Amino acid sequence: MKQDISKIADKISYIQNTLSVVNGKWKLPILLSMYSGISRFRDLQRNIPNITTRVLSKELKDLEGNKLIVRIVHDTYPVSIEYKLTPHSHSLTPLVDEMIKWGKQYKEK
Amino acid sequence: MKQDISKIADKISYIQNTLSVVNGKWKLPILLSMYSGISRFRDLQRNIPNITTRVLSKELKDLEGNKLIVRIVHDTYPVSIEYKLTPHSHSLTPLVDEMIKWGKQYKEK
DNA sequence: CCGAATCCAATATGATACTG
DNA sequence: CAGTATCATATTGGATTCGG
């Protein structure tokens, strides 16, 4: 049952890596929305209950900084902006799915 | 590709359920330590780098409030206190494992 | 040893208004 | 449409001290 302490320390540090990328109330809901095909600021805000523009803006920048999404400016008139997932971001889908699964069954208690 | 918006809303709300239980820097590292067999306050603090007594104390209360752990007072002298996982808490292991897995491969980039 | 209490700093989140 | 600016509140983190 007991495990090597040094391995536990490694695992804790891996968890903290993950948390440093997806921590907070909003990043995973944003990613889920984007997995579902939503790519515009306005649409994301409409789709995610109670998120404010200020928070959405900050979170998108964080996600961009961690290379999970890219911000694309279309040179139209007026300018339109699209947020797209990077290939790397799809590696998070198992985690997101587990979150959904657990939250669903937890609610049922 | 596009999904029914109402289903997305449900999924977001499930994710938020999960986050309401495990959000923050420390709860998953604490659970991981406990999965590994650590059950005493002092040992948890030693095992989780940089956590303070104040934060550990608060997080343990939160986890207890969400029925993931129980606090057992042994009537010895001096009193010894043991934190134990509830059966319910084990339903989180797939999520924790995903966190470890993702954090590990992320680090390698 | 196992925390609780206190005080304070730093972040995260939220409400609202406004701009190119 | 896609944000920024400003202000306010809430939550989290940290240092230290204290009591059973």
Side-chain angles (χ1 to χ4, degrees):
Chain A
M1 180 61 92
K2 294 261 182 186
Q3 295 176 38
D4 182 349
I5 290 289
S6 69
K7 289 190 180 176
I8 300 175
D10 284 346
K11 288 181 179 179
I12 289 176
S13 121
Y14 297 144
I15 290 177
Q16 288 173 335
N17 284 344
T18 304
L19 290 174
S20 73
V21 175
V22 301
N23 203 11
K25 278 176 69 173
W26 301 112
K27 291 191 183 67
L28 292 175
I30 290 169
L31 287 173
L32 173 65
S33 298
M34 294 185 68
Y35 292 145
S36 309
I38 298 172
S39 61
R40 309 279 301 264
F41 190 96
R42 195 69 170 172
D43 294 333
L44 286 167
Q45 190 177 10
R46 264 196 287 263
N47 198 245
I48 303 169
N50 301 118
I51 196 167
T52 62
T53 60
R54 181 190 182 294
V55 170
L56 179 55
S57 175
K58 176 190 169 295
E59 298 292 73
L60 288 171
K61 275 178 191 157
D62 288 349
L63 291 170
E64 195 186 358
N66 283 316
K67 313 287 185 196
L68 295 180
I69 65 176
V70 288
R71 181 177 187 272
I72 298 170
V73 181
H74 291 288
D75 197 10
T76 53
Y77 181 79
V79 168
S80 72
I81 293 174
E82 185 189 8
Y83 292 95
K84 292 195 63 173
L85 295 163
T86 61
H88 179 225
S89 74
H90 292 287
S91 63
L92 275 172
T93 53
L95 180 58
V96 171
D97 288 343
E98 274 302 328
M99 285 262 176
I100 294 169
K101 198 167 143 190
W102 196 88
K104 185 172 182 180
Q105 59 102 30
Y106 179 77
K107 191 181 186 175
E108 287 161 1
K109 307 213 170 202
Chain B
M1 179 60 91
K2 294 261 183 185
Q3 296 176 38
D4 183 348
I5 290 290
S6 69
K7 290 190 179 177
I8 301 175
D10 285 346
K11 289 182 178 180
I12 288 177
S13 122
Y14 297 144
I15 290 178
Q16 288 173 335
N17 285 343
T18 303
L19 289 174
S20 73
V21 176
V22 301
N23 201 13
K25 278 176 70 172
W26 302 111
K27 291 193 184 65
L28 292 176
I30 290 169
L31 287 173
L32 172 66
S33 298
M34 293 186 67
Y35 292 145
S36 308
I38 298 172
S39 62
R40 309 281 302 265
F41 190 95
R42 198 67 170 172
D43 294 333
L44 287 167
Q45 192 177 8
R46 263 195 288 263
N47 198 245
I48 302 168
N50 301 119
I51 196 168
T52 62
T53 63
R54 182 191 184 291
V55 171
L56 179 54
S57 176
K58 176 190 169 295
E59 298 292 73
L60 288 170
K61 273 179 193 156
D62 288 349
L63 291 170
E64 195 186 357
N66 283 316
K67 313 287 186 194
L68 295 180
I69 64 175
V70 288
R71 182 176 186 271
I72 298 169
V73 181
H74 292 287
D75 197 10
T76 53
Y77 181 79
V79 168
S80 72
I81 295 173
E82 185 188 8
Y83 293 94
K84 291 194 64 175
L85 294 164
T86 62
H88 179 225
S89 73
H90 292 288
S91 63
L92 275 172
T93 53
L95 181 58
V96 171
D97 288 343
E98 274 302 327
M99 284 262 176
I100 294 169
K101 198 167 144 190
W102 197 87
K104 184 173 182 179
Q105 59 102 29
Y106 179 78
K107 191 180 186 176
E108 287 161 0
K109 307 215 168 199

